[in-house]
Amino acid sequence: MTHPFLDLAPLSAARFASVEDRVARLLDTRQDVVIMQGEALLPLEGAIRGTAGPDTTALNVITGPYGRTFGDWLRDCGATVIDLAVPFHTAVTAEQIRAAFAEHPEIGFVSLVHAEAATGNTNPVAEIGEVVKEHGALFYLDAVASVGAEPVLPDAWGVDLCVIGAQKAMGGPAGVSAVSVSERAWARMAANPKAPRRSYLSLLDWKERWVDGGRTALPHAPAQLEMLALEACVERIEADGLETVMARHASAAAATRAGAVALGVGLEPYVHEAREAAPVATTLRAPAGVVASELVARALTGDPALPLAAGGGALAKEMIRVNHYGADATPGAVRSSLTALGAALAERGLTADLPGALRAAESAWR
Ligand SMILES: *Cc1c(COP(=O)(O)O)cnc(C)c1O
């Protein structure tokens, strides 16, 4: 009996290379794009371990939980790490990056998360890239939560290592990811005696055994199911148009933000400035006296498929996340999310203006 995802033929090297080329086009990059056979944490960790060592001074920007993780990996590599943490309700500015370089001219590596689904902020990468370029530092970017939701342009922005995953705005699988690697980043890895080699974490292995060989023979069996899904999701974005997909995410964010405020019960945008709010997901601050995780659990009882979540860890008390990405970047998902939140708030005795919220959301949808 045939089955849609069993007994698959191995994916050919040519097909694998063509998916890489499509991802490169999506990122408008001429750098090498290496697809990694695992969730995005694989290239995120591999890129840091490949390039950082005891002679590295790294500026690690923390605008959410991932930045903390990157700092831990950098320290584990022996790097000297200068943490630049900004409150989660805001974004880092290019001026703050400039000031960090002025104070520590020895900085040779900058790690940054573009958009944070976990905190709902997005950082001005183009402006920051200008500053990083002036100082010649290697620029590492986590674009997992931004790709597909807002422009991600590694070449234009001078990003040396740009990591993406398909599981957020691209609406694709979580088990495969990609990283674009600049010539300088390859050179840094080749010169780094501590860069992983003959290891699952190794980007250099892919360079030596795949890229440099003209991408004709795969070093090991490709994860064909994930590759086919990644190919399908890039194909769908190409068909819809990347601009259209990004516009849907921007509209979902604007509508959710406007609708939450219009509920009129103190459900405030967690990220204060709209321009610093990520198009991928909108975070909200629970009204005084309301525990976010309880409110979300209540809101999900009617429809557990709604894209609602409480913040992670310590944020579970105060933060509500509306994960309007991929298939949920639609007016319908925003409406349903606002309706469920409004109903859960009403149960708490807070009279939410649901018709007003839905009107506000509709007119904010651009
Ligand atoms: C979602 C996300 C990732 C991927 O991590 P998961 O824990 O698998 O969701 C990495 N970086 C950022 C900024 C993300 O938002």
Side-chain angles (χ1 to χ4, degrees), residues 116-211:
E116 298 259 9
T119 46
N121 48 23
T122 187
N123 295 299
V125 183
E127 291 166 39
I128 292 169
E130 289 297 320
V131 180
V132 176
K133 209 181 297 179
E134 281 166 27
H135 292 85
L138 211 71
F139 193 13
Y140 164 101
L141 186 71
D142 174 350
V144 176
S146 50
V147 66
E150 55 189 306
V152 175
L153 300 166
D155 291 12
W157 299 344
V159 178
D160 294 286
L161 294 151
C162 182
V163 174
I164 65 157
Q167 72 263 44
K168 299 262 167 70
M170 291 173 72
V176 69
S177 48
V179 53
S180 66
V181 188
S182 71
E183 283 303 325
R184 316 194 292 150
W186 282 133
R188 178 81 66 99
M189 283 185 233
N192 180 4
K194 291 182 70 176
R197 289 172 171 83
R198 298 297 175 260
S199 156
Y200 205 61
L201 280 171
S202 178
L203 286 169
L204 273 181
D205 285 4
W206 281 92
K207 165 117 174 103
E208 289 164 7
R209 298 166 73 178
W210 169 246
V211 178

Side-chain angles (χ1 to χ4, degrees), residues 8 12 28 30 43 60 77 95 99 137 166 172-173 206 213-214 234 236 239 259 267 294 318 330 334 337:
L8 294 174
S12 70
D28 202 12
R30 302 179 69 86
N60 181 48
C77 292
E95 288 65 40
W206 281 92
V234 178
R236 188 173 64 181
L267 193 61
E294 291 172 8
E318 61 187 39
T330 59
V334 171
S337 298

Side-chain angles (χ1 to χ4, degrees), residues 57-63 82-86 91-114 122-141 157-158:
T57 299
L59 174 65
N60 181 48
V61 182
I62 302 176
T63 55
I82 297 150
D83 281 324
L84 171 55
V86 303
V92 72
T93 64
E95 288 65 40
Q96 285 173 295
I97 304 292
R98 198 181 296 284
F101 273 106
E103 200 180 330
H104 304 279
E106 70 279 17
I107 290 168
F109 182 102
V110 175
S111 48
L112 176 71
V113 176
H114 185 185
T122 187
N123 295 299
V125 183
E127 291 166 39
I128 292 169
E130 289 297 320
V131 180
V132 176
K133 209 181 297 179
E134 281 166 27
H135 292 85
L138 211 71
F139 193 13
Y140 164 101
L141 186 71
W157 299 344

